[in-house]
């Protein structure tokens, strides 16, 4: 199984277009310990030739330009990506679908029922695509059964509902339902190796921890360093947990949760907000992660299991 990190940042990317924070200024100025990041998305393959896209970032065209696995190899049109799996209906995970409208046949798009509702009612992007390439919607089961998205169908994919918040445009905003946000366990039946992927994760309950503990690699929420990060900057009245993210630091934070895993499990943070000091390789926070055996995903990162 091969995983390619197409984008590793949270919504807005890094640097975010309208931010004048020290790190955003630093990356624009070319500071060596900072690197640009596009918005969160990965591609998964069983053979390195055919791929499944997980989340369609607003930066999808830029990401495809930098990843040869997506390039056409024959005919006038084509793509190494054969289907799209969505873990939620958030803007930073779905807006890229607009950019994929030139496909010559309907896109197989895998989603839970609540996400499908969000993308046909609150933000009807799937209806819009019907005027272009079309959509072949595929339901993601939430009962533990495996599903097999095109491009990486040899792998066994399983979805787990996660505690989260639906997008502001969702018909059930303020009334969360299972399937608003999911984590994915992807298993290679040939080797038995598996990855757990959850870019939005507000709580590590027993079921989530079991999925993490059983994995060979976890790629989990790295959005915020502190729970009050946005409050302390004067940008929000909500804590990280309130908007569906478990901060790295503090009691019960992601660092403590990852420390509970067996030593062989590879630990990777993804979906990192531009306010998070771990984006600077030279920061004390990044040093603390390294000491804890935790990696920070970057655009172009490749993982083979």
């Amino acid at each position: 199984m091969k995983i390619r990190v197409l984008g590793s940042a949270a919504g807005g990317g890094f640097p975010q277009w309208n931010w004048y924070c020290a790190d955003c200024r630093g990356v624009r100025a070319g500071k060596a310990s900072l690197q640009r990041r596009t918005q969160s998305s990965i591609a998964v393959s069983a053979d390195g030739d055919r791929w499944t896209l997980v989340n369609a970032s607003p930066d999808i065209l830029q990401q495809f330009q930098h990843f040869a696995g997506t390039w056409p190899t024959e005919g006038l049109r084509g793509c190494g990506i054969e289907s799209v799996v969505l873990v939620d209906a958030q803007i930073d995970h779905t807006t890229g679908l607009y950019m994929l409208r030139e496909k010559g046949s309907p896109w197989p798009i895998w989603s839970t029922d609540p996400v499908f509702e969000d993308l046909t009612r609150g933000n009807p992007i799937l209806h819009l695509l019907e005027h272009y390439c079309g959509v072949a919607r595929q339901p993601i089961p939430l009962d533990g059964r495996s599903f097999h998205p095109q491009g990486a169908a040899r792998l066994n994919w399983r979805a787990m509902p996660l505690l989260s918040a639906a997008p502001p445009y969702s018909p059930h905003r303020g009334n969360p339902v299972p399937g608003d946000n999911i984590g994915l366990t992807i298993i290679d039946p040939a080797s038995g190796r598996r990855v757990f992927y959850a870019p939005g994760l507000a709580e590590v309950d027993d079921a989530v921890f079991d999925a993490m503990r059983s994995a060979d690699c976890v790629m989990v929420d790295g959005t915020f360093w502190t729970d009050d990060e946005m409050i302390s900057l004067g940008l929000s009245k909500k804590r990280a947990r309130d908007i569906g993210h478990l901060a790295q630091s503090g009691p019960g934070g992601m660092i403590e949760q990852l420390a509970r895993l067996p030593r062989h499990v590879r630990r990777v943070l993804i979906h990192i907000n531009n306010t998070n000091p771990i984006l600077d390789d030279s920061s004390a926070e990044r040093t603390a992660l390294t000491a804890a055996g935790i990696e920070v995903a970057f655009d172009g990162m490749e993982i083979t299991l």
Side-chain angles (χ1 to χ4, degrees):
M1 173 165 47
K2 296 181 180 297
I3 301 164
R4 168 84 175 208
V5 176
L6 301 178
S8 53
F14 182 65
Q16 186 167 311
W17 66 276
N18 62 341
W19 271 70
Y20 192 63
C21 63
D23 281 350
C24 288
R25 295 199 305 272
V27 74
R28 291 184 187 114
K31 184 178 177 181
S33 60
L34 297 164
Q35 60 179 297
R36 294 178 178 272
R37 286 173 162 85
T38 58
Q39 294 168 88
S40 176
S41 179
I42 64 172
V44 180
S45 176
D47 56 16
D49 294 321
R50 305 170 61 207
W51 295 83
T52 298
L53 178 67
V54 183
N55 298 329
S57 147
D59 303 315
I60 196 70
L61 297 185
Q62 178 183 346
Q63 293 168 350
F64 279 15
Q65 293 284 357
H66 290 93
F67 179 38
T70 67
W71 300 350
T73 56
E74 58 183 15
L76 290 177
R77 287 187 179 184
C79 183
I81 299 290
E82 297 189 10
S83 67
V84 183
V85 174
L86 301 175
V87 302
D88 57 39
Q90 300 289 345
I91 283 177
D92 56 323
H93 285 156
T94 59
T95 306
L97 292 173
Y98 287 115
M99 303 299 104
L100 302 181
R101 64 190 182 278
E102 296 94 348
K103 191 176 187 295
S105 58
W107 269 111
I109 296 179
W110 295 76
S111 71
T112 64
D113 289 342
V115 168
F116 181 71
E117 182 181 17
D118 290 347
L119 298 181
T120 51
R121 291 182 57 195
N123 179 22
I125 185 171
L126 299 185
H127 286 326
L128 180 144
L129 288 181
E130 293 293 352
H131 295 282
Y132 295 91
C133 59
V135 172
R137 191 262 169 145
Q138 309 289 320
I140 294 178
L142 294 176
D143 57 4
R145 286 179 294 137
S146 294
F147 63 101
H148 302 275
Q150 298 83 345
R154 186 175 65 77
L155 305 176
N156 293 326
W157 298 59
R158 296 174 187 165
M160 169 183 294
L162 301 177
L163 178 66
S164 185
Y169 44 79
S170 171
H172 37 90
R173 174 74 168 182
N175 183 30
V177 297
D180 282 334
N181 180 32
I182 58 173
L184 295 170
T185 294
I186 310 170
I187 307 165
D188 187 339
S191 64
R193 294 173 68 80
R194 61 179 65 194
V195 62
F196 178 74
Y197 176 69
L201 183 57
E203 179 181 318
V204 179
D205 59 21
D206 290 344
V208 170
F209 184 73
D210 284 346
M212 293 169 62
R213 179 176 56 189
S214 300
D216 296 283
C217 175
V218 297
M219 304 179 72
V220 291
D221 194 330
T223 309
F224 298 115
W225 179 255
T226 63
D227 193 43
D228 65 348
E229 197 161 307
M230 300 297 281
I231 297 174
S232 65
L233 291 170
L235 298 170
S236 175
K237 296 181 180 180
K238 294 183 178 181
R239 295 184 173 273
R241 291 175 188 262
D242 298 331
I243 55 176
H245 300 287
L246 178 63
Q248 281 104 65
S249 64
M254 191 65 78
I255 294 175
E256 285 192 5
Q257 298 297 338
L258 295 178
R260 299 166 57 203
L261 297 176
R263 294 186 63 179
H264 74 275
V265 178
R266 185 173 179 181
R267 304 154 171 84
V268 180
L269 297 179
I270 196 166
H271 193 273
I272 305 147
N273 201 54
N274 66 290
T275 57
N276 194 330
I278 67 173
L279 286 169
D280 189 336
D281 294 348
S282 65
S283 67
E285 292 83 357
R286 186 62 169 271
T287 300
L289 288 184
T290 301
I294 301 171
E295 302 174 61
V296 177
F298 56 89
D299 291 23
M301 183 181 196
E302 295 185 344
I303 295 172
T304 300
L305 295 174

